[in-house]
Amino acid sequence: MNADQFNALCLPATATLHQALEALNATGRGILLVTRADGSLQRTLTDGDLRRAALSHVPEDSAVSALPEQAPVTVGLDAGLPTAMAVLDKHQIDHLPVVDEAGRAVDIMFRRELSQRIWLSSPHLGEEETAFVEDAFKTNWIAPLGPHVDGFERELASYAGVGHGAAVSSGTAAIHLALLLLGVKPGDTVFCSSLTFVGSCNPILYCNARPVFIDSQPQTWNMCPQALERAFEWAQREGRMPRCVIVVNLYGQSADMDALLAVCERYGVPLLEDAAESLGAKYKGRASGSFGAIGIFSFNGNKIITTSGGGMLVTNDAQMAERARKLATQAREPAAHYEHIEVGFNYRMSNVLAGIGRGQLRVLDQRVEQRRQVFDIYRAELADAAIEWMPEPEGYRSTRWLSCFTLPGTDGQSRRDRLLRALERHSIEARPVWKPMHMQPLFKDAPYFAHEGGDFSKACFESGVCLPSGSNLTQEQQGRVIDQLRRALQQAGARATV
Ligand SMILES: *Cc1c(COP(=O)(O)O)cnc(C)c1O
């Protein structure tokens, strides 16, 4: 429902019953919002109310205000979905006006809409996954390893243009193994992008190593090469050179790999590429995930392709890949009696899930196109809105895993929160941009190197929004998101100028 459609539901209390009937007929929502001269909501008016008025012989030309008084059932702007649902159920109604502090109707929630939630990023299966999974069942290769694991490793490594892959149970597990392969020991320092999901850096703590966080740059929203340089200068002074640098590719877009690799190479420190969110993206024509000494991908449920849960470590170093597979299977030595020399993990991917992955990989390029199209529609439809889309610099090809924007100007965080609440009222799952790691209580003692122009990841978090971006988002669903977003942005603008 857009702003015009909402305004058409609002009827002045001075209108006649006949006018109300016409408005109900024209809007077709089964409800009108009767407003007083001061804009406050007097009551709601339904087909049933008008039918009862006709049966009691109230003349058609009397004003709506002549009907028996009836206090409307409403919720406030802060009401969440569970509260709204409870009110709808309690009163056995299907629509619920939302009123502001002054009692004005500013929105309306519909039961039907609430039951048709629009997700941020939901799994989207193709046609071949079931065939691969059925094959796993038929051949009884259900439990760990098997031909689909080998096939998935081969096919994904080839897609990414990297020599070898090791399929594991999650992207986080892949990062943990990568840190061990790069020799991270207790007490070591590890640099990591601050603007990311905690899965990027929890493994630093698993290794009892010490994280140092690096800010992003506005051009890419990814690690800022200058901030990285300053972190290295500091590390050199402190005698705390990092064992590796975890560079995250956020929301489907590569970081500036040329610049970051140049800094890392100058200091002789390997780069670990967290490409969990950027599978299918390109940087200067080369696949994202192929730039670091090790790259990792995630196939978690909300990622661009999914195995319901899983991850992959990729590298050109055959020995490293072999060692990753060993560490992921309890570090078992090649002996029939299960010999163990070092600590290992139970991190391998199962053959069934690898089958899903092989099917998903076949539709990956299509999923990239679909996500990019979702973004293009948002950008075209909201061209005049006061928002700044996540940029895609020349030479980068993002998958637009999530369509994200920031709200320019001051007071971004409270405007962002109002906007998210407005979308939530229509059962649209949108989210703030990741809360940076240097702002997390878990990492409060970790050093942080900000972008020279100011703390970019903090600003990005405070005013940033991620929109529903699934490759299976229908046009009708996206239309709903766009309508609500436009209204919410207009309201936020109106409020800011009051
Ligand atoms: C999803 C994600 C991970 C972790 O992947 P899982 O498979 O969920 O463990 C790591 N880093 C980033 C940036 C992610 O988005």
Side-chain angles (χ1 to χ4, degrees):
M1 194 177 51
N2 62 33
D4 289 344
Q5 288 163 336
F6 176 76
N7 291 336
L9 295 183
C10 299
L11 187 80
T14 51
T16 65
L17 292 186
H18 183 77
Q19 285 169 325
L21 205 51
E22 281 182 334
L24 264 179
N25 198 41
T27 50
R29 297 272 182 169
I31 188 167
L32 294 174
L33 305 173
V34 179
T35 53
R36 301 188 185 92
D38 64 0
S40 64
L41 179 70
Q42 184 181 51
R43 61 170 296 159
T44 59
L45 197 60
T46 63
D47 291 310
D49 294 325
L50 290 178
R51 212 176 321 118
R52 281 184 287 277
L55 287 172
S56 345
H57 306 289
V58 182
E60 271 211 334
D61 59 355
S62 31
V64 170
S65 51
L67 294 179
E69 283 200 17
Q70 177 193 309
V73 177
T74 63
V75 285
L77 277 167
D78 292 335
L81 282 193
T83 309
M85 273 316 266
V87 174
L88 286 169
D89 287 344
K90 178 172 169 214
H91 295 274
Q92 301 199 337
I93 49 179
D94 293 325
H95 356 69
L96 187 55
V98 180
V99 295
D100 67 9
E101 311 78 34
R104 287 175 301 216
V106 289
D107 201 357
I108 182 164
M109 297 164 79
F110 295 99
R111 184 188 289 275
R112 200 173 61 93
E113 209 175 59
L114 297 193
S115 65
Q116 299 173 339
R117 187 160 178 79
I118 299 177
W119 300 100
L120 186 77
S121 176
S122 67
H124 185 185
L125 292 185
E127 296 185 343
E128 296 190 56
E129 288 84 346
T130 16
F132 281 111
V133 172
E134 264 172 29
D135 174 77
F137 275 71
K138 270 200 232 122
T139 55
N140 204 27
W141 278 112
I142 303 297
L145 306 181
H148 289 320
V149 174
D150 300 338
F152 189 35
E153 287 176 346
R154 217 173 31 244
E155 289 159 9
L156 188 97
S158 148
Y159 179 91
V162 177
H164 312 275
V168 292
S169 52
S170 72
T172 309
I175 296 175
H176 185 194
L177 293 177
L179 292 179
L180 296 170
L181 293 173
L182 295 173
V184 174
K185 303 266 181 326
D188 279 355
T189 293
V190 174
F191 288 180
C192 184
S193 306
S194 184
L195 189 56
T196 188
F197 170 62
V198 73
S200 300
C201 48
N202 263 335
I204 303 175
L205 301 185
Y206 304 166
C207 296
N208 290 310
R210 296 183 292 169
V212 170
F213 292 107
I214 318 287
D215 200 2
S216 290
Q217 52 174 178
Q219 302 93 302
T220 62
W221 290 24
N222 286 315
M223 191 182 281
C224 168
Q226 286 79 31
L228 176 63
E229 177 76 48
R230 276 186 286 117
F232 268 119
E233 288 163 6
W234 164 86
Q236 218 160 30
R237 282 198 306 274
E238 298 286 314
R240 275 187 65 179
M241 283 301 271
R243 191 69 64 182
C244 75
V245 179
I246 305 174
V247 174
V248 179
N249 301 313
L250 214 59
Y251 298 134
Q253 176 159 279
S254 175
D256 184 357
M257 284 302 165
D258 281 350
L260 294 167
L261 278 168
V263 178
C264 288
E265 274 160 22
R266 207 147 20 80
Y267 289 93
V269 174
L271 189 153
L272 164 53
E273 192 179 2
D274 179 353
E277 299 181 5
S278 67
L279 176 59
K282 289 207 157 66
Y283 172 78
K284 302 193 178 170
R286 225 175 102 186
S288 188
S290 69
F291 291 86
I294 299 177
I296 73 94
F297 298 109
S298 163
F299 315 111
N300 190 12
N302 61 5
K303 298 290 170 18
I304 195 159
I305 62 169
T306 181
T307 58
S308 81
M312 184 92 72
L313 179 154
V314 293
T315 174
N316 282 317
D317 185 326
Q319 278 180 328
M320 265 204 195
E322 204 36 62
R323 198 166 144 64
R325 294 186 197 110
K326 179 185 168 190
L327 289 177
T329 39
Q330 309 283 20
R332 182 189 158 190
E333 300 298 325
H337 61 262
Y338 284 74
E339 180 85 359
H340 297 283
I341 302 169
E342 58 184 335
V343 63
F345 306 88
N346 183 4
Y347 275 172
R348 270 306 238 168
M349 180 181 277
S350 87
N351 196 49
V352 175
L353 300 192
I356 302 177
R358 294 182 84 180
Q360 285 270 275
L361 196 53
R362 281 161 173 67
V363 291
L364 172 56
D365 285 334
Q366 215 176 311
R367 299 293 178 260
V368 172
E369 285 305 325
Q370 288 160 327
R371 297 233 179 203
R372 286 182 62 87
Q373 197 177 354
V374 165
F375 175 81
D376 287 343
I377 292 173
Y378 279 132
R379 189 169 48 183
E381 291 290 322
L382 296 160
D384 49 0
I387 55 183
E388 283 170 11
W389 294 105
M390 179 178 180
E392 183 186 40
E394 186 80 31
Y396 292 64
R397 186 178 154 84
S398 169
T399 64
R400 298 289 184 184
W401 171 56
L402 295 185
S403 290
C404 315
F405 64 82
T406 51
L407 296 165
T410 54
D411 194 23
Q413 191 161 4
S414 58
R415 285 185 294 134
R416 177 202 73 185
D417 288 343
R418 273 201 297 273
L419 196 110
L420 290 175
R421 272 201 301 273
L423 294 175
E424 187 61 20
R425 283 202 291 275
H426 297 274
S427 210
I428 295 168
E429 187 192 22
R431 281 210 204 137
V433 160
W434 297 127
K435 180 174 182 176
M437 293 304 121
H438 74 279
M439 296 172 70
Q440 300 284 0
L442 177 62
F443 297 113
K444 64 182 189 306
D445 298 326
Y448 173 59
F449 291 85
H451 179 66
E452 273 192 359
D455 193 335
F456 175 76
S457 52
K458 178 168 182 277
C460 196
F461 157 64
E462 285 173 349
S463 71
V465 174
C466 307
L467 293 174
S469 308
S471 45
N472 49 4
L473 193 69
T474 65
Q475 279 193 348
E476 189 249 323
Q477 287 177 319
Q478 198 176 3
R480 237 173 84 192
V481 178
I482 290 165
D483 283 345
Q484 295 309 334
L485 193 58
R486 250 200 221 117
R487 286 187 58 218
L489 287 165
Q490 278 164 359
Q491 281 171 0
R495 276 152 181 277
T497 55
V498 172

